[in-house]
Amino acid sequence: MFIPNTPEDRKEMLAKIGVSSVTELLAQIPQDLLYPVLDLPKALTEPELAAHVRALAAKNKPLKNFIGAGMYEHFIPAAVGALSSRGEFLTAYTPYQAEASQGTLQTIYEFQSCMCALLEMDAATASHYDGATALAEAVLACLRVNGRKEVLISAALHPHYKEVLKTYTRHQPGVKITESPLGADGTLDLTALKEKLSDKTSCFVLPTPNFFGCLERADEVSALVHQAGALLAATVNPLALGVLQTPGAFGADFAVAEGQPLGNAVNFGGPGLGIMTAKKAYMRQLPGRIVGIAKDKNGKRSFVLTLQAREQHIRREKASSNICSNEALCALNAVIYLTLLGPRGLAEAAELNLERAHTLAALAGEVPGFKVKFTAPYFNEFVLECPAPAKTVIKKLEKKGIGAGYALGADFKGMENCLLVCATETKTEEDLKAYADALRGI
């Protein structure tokens, strides 16, 4: 935190504690651990600083972005930012004082209502930090529900989600995380899944679309999981639910999502928006805020924080989670975005994502040496197998002003020549053709 103390302020404080300088104050700390003295140039005026920053920004090389891998570039209506940047929304924080936070509570209530409708689940919390932490919280809830210790996950779960899940469970006694393999088409091998499920399995984590963009046979997976007496925790792309089957429809017990595609910019990878929902039976296992409707002493509608006995400010170390904040502004963006689009608009946006990705896959697959790796249906991204290392393809397309995709080799052994390519509604037919032409020019 920057504290704007004047030289006189610092001199007075140093004299009070009996040292002559900051250097003397820190003398007991080894020199190699101290931050070096910065030789900064003379301070600029505001116009000079603005001009300097603009000059630095002009050096950035814009890329036509075909990178997805969990954060997606979508068109955001101007009304989203215009409304969510109003002062009463932009400065609001976690609403512990419900009577003084009716506006914030109402926006959270609307967010929860939208998420329940979108995912077709019974209960939703106020937002979590991102999709990965929401999934980790869902798995912890499953462990509490049935007391089993084995967590089974898809091999095609987002690699970052895997790492966060490992972090959340590393100090849970006896908890073991195991992966279920994929078939040749890029989706789960259901025979292998059935063999791995047992009476020790607490839950199975199902991503659909999975990290490769492929759509899983969710109904069949759900049946296998529940036959084993385990719980199903699904993670989905919320925009895709404009056209795809919802977690509620295929029987998920907990369903989470990264809400960034709903009216939130990529912003160099954050902040995200964690969506977490559950069946009614598991509502008390949900961490974070739940807002409900009540009446005040005059009989007027009012909003309240409900089921607070789950939370750490009441139950302390026995709480379901120590989460104490929420991504309220990002959640508001999602509410405004969904309200502006409505069910029909969301379906149209999802259809455009489907169409753009399939058009690009067809064009790229026609380029000699390149082919779409998996045969399973996919949403707005797919795996492109290249005749050279994916990192090489990325570097060559960068020179043409194109962000080619996400190199899979670092996260998946044997996929060094594979690119995860994404095309959303922001890409035109010309953009898609330019991508394929750039591949031909390698």
Side-chain angles (χ1 to χ4, degrees):
M1 180 181 292
F2 173 69
I3 303 175
N5 295 319
T6 66
E8 290 74 19
D9 293 332
R10 290 194 290 272
K11 185 177 181 181
E12 182 180 350
M13 288 187 287
L14 291 169
K16 190 73 174 179
I17 60 178
V19 294
S20 60
S21 66
V22 173
T23 301
E24 183 181 348
L25 175 65
L26 303 178
Q28 296 183 26
I29 301 176
Q31 288 297 308
D32 60 332
L33 297 179
L34 292 173
Y35 200 80
V37 177
L38 298 177
D39 183 19
L40 297 175
K42 181 182 177 182
L44 301 176
T45 65
E46 185 175 346
E48 290 171 336
L49 180 60
H52 176 63
V53 172
R54 281 195 295 270
L56 292 176
K59 295 180 180 180
N60 288 330
K61 182 181 179 181
L63 294 177
K64 187 64 70 172
N65 180 30
F66 290 87
I67 308 168
M71 300 292 284
Y72 302 98
E73 184 180 43
H74 293 290
F75 173 74
I76 301 173
V80 173
L83 292 173
S84 67
S85 62
R86 288 173 59 95
E88 61 267 39
F89 297 134
L90 197 60
T91 61
Y93 189 58
T94 301
Y96 277 114
Q97 291 182 285
E99 68 280 1
S101 308
Q102 287 296 294
T104 302
L105 287 169
Q106 182 175 358
T107 63
I108 293 176
Y109 180 84
E110 299 296 349
F111 170 77
Q112 293 171 181
S113 300
C114 286
M115 295 308 107
C116 286
L118 182 61
L119 278 70
E120 282 196 297
M121 299 293 285
D122 298 328
T125 65
S127 54
H128 297 264
Y129 299 117
D130 54 22
T133 54
L135 176 62
E137 294 282 8
V139 169
L140 292 183
C142 291
L143 294 169
R144 291 192 297 270
V145 167
N146 56 28
R148 298 180 180 184
K149 297 296 185 179
E150 291 186 3
V151 177
L152 189 57
I153 66 175
S154 166
L157 179 64
H158 194 304
H160 297 171
Y161 285 37
K162 292 180 185 179
E163 292 304 310
V164 171
L165 183 55
K166 290 176 183 177
T167 299
Y168 268 60
T169 58
R170 64 184 298 180
H171 295 301
Q172 297 286 324
V175 171
K176 179 183 178 182
I177 299 176
T178 307
E179 291 191 11
S180 191
L182 304 182
D185 68 345
T187 64
L188 286 162
D189 181 333
L190 296 186
T191 301
L193 174 61
K194 186 175 182 179
E195 292 174 354
K196 284 183 172 290
L197 288 164
S198 72
D199 57 4
K200 297 180 181 179
T201 306
S202 174
C203 64
F204 177 68
V205 174
L206 172 68
T208 182
N210 64 28
F211 188 62
F212 302 133
C214 298
L215 306 180
E216 298 285 356
R217 290 158 288 181
D219 282 325
E220 296 179 57
V221 172
S222 180
L224 290 174
V225 171
H226 290 125
Q227 283 169 14
L231 297 170
L232 180 62
T235 173
V236 299
N237 181 329
L239 185 68
L241 297 180
V243 292
L244 299 181
Q245 186 183 34
T246 65
F250 61 71
D253 299 290
F254 292 88
V256 303
E258 169 57 64
Q260 178 272 324
L262 305 177
N264 288 281
V266 175
N267 292 329
F268 301 97
L273 166 59
I275 297 168
M276 186 175 183
T277 64
K279 288 182 176 178
K280 185 177 181 180
Y282 308 123
M283 187 187 306
R284 291 182 180 272
Q285 295 296 335
L286 292 173
R289 306 290 174 264
I290 295 180
V291 176
I293 288 182
K295 291 183 179 180
D296 65 14
K297 65 180 182 180
N298 298 317
K300 293 182 179 179
R301 184 182 72 165
S302 61
F303 295 91
V304 296
L305 290 174
T306 189
L307 297 177
Q308 291 188 76
R310 303 166 299 108
E311 298 190 63
Q312 82 285 353
H313 66 287
I314 294 176
R315 297 197 71 197
R316 299 184 182 274
E317 73 278 3
K318 294 182 179 180
S320 59
S321 171
N322 69 348
I323 186 170
C324 59
S325 185
N326 65 80
E327 301 290 335
L329 189 63
C330 296
L332 179 60
N333 285 338
V335 172
I336 297 171
Y337 177 85
L338 289 171
T339 303
L340 290 170
L341 266 64
R344 182 180 299 177
L346 185 69
E348 290 177 1
E351 287 168 359
L352 284 171
N353 277 255
L354 272 172
E355 185 270 329
R356 296 290 191 272
H358 283 75
T359 298
L360 180 59
L363 291 170
E366 293 174 354
V367 179
F370 293 86
K371 67 174 183 178
V372 177
K373 183 174 180 63
F374 298 123
T375 58
Y378 53 91
F379 181 56
N380 64 356
E381 55 194 332
F382 57 92
V383 176
L384 185 66
E385 197 165 1
C386 310
K391 291 183 178 180
T392 301
V393 176
I394 290 173
K395 289 180 179 179
K396 288 183 177 294
L397 262 65
E398 278 180 357
K399 296 177 181 179
K400 300 175 181 291
I402 294 173
Y406 181 86
L408 292 170
D411 300 303
F412 298 92
K413 187 177 180 180
M415 299 186 74
E416 289 74 17
N417 283 23
C418 292
L419 265 179
L420 184 62
V421 184
C422 176
T424 69
E425 80 282 5
T426 61
K427 302 300 175 289
T428 65
E429 289 187 15
E430 290 73 20
D431 295 332
L432 305 181
K433 292 177 181 177
Y435 185 99
D437 288 342
L439 293 181
R440 288 190 181 88
I442 294 178

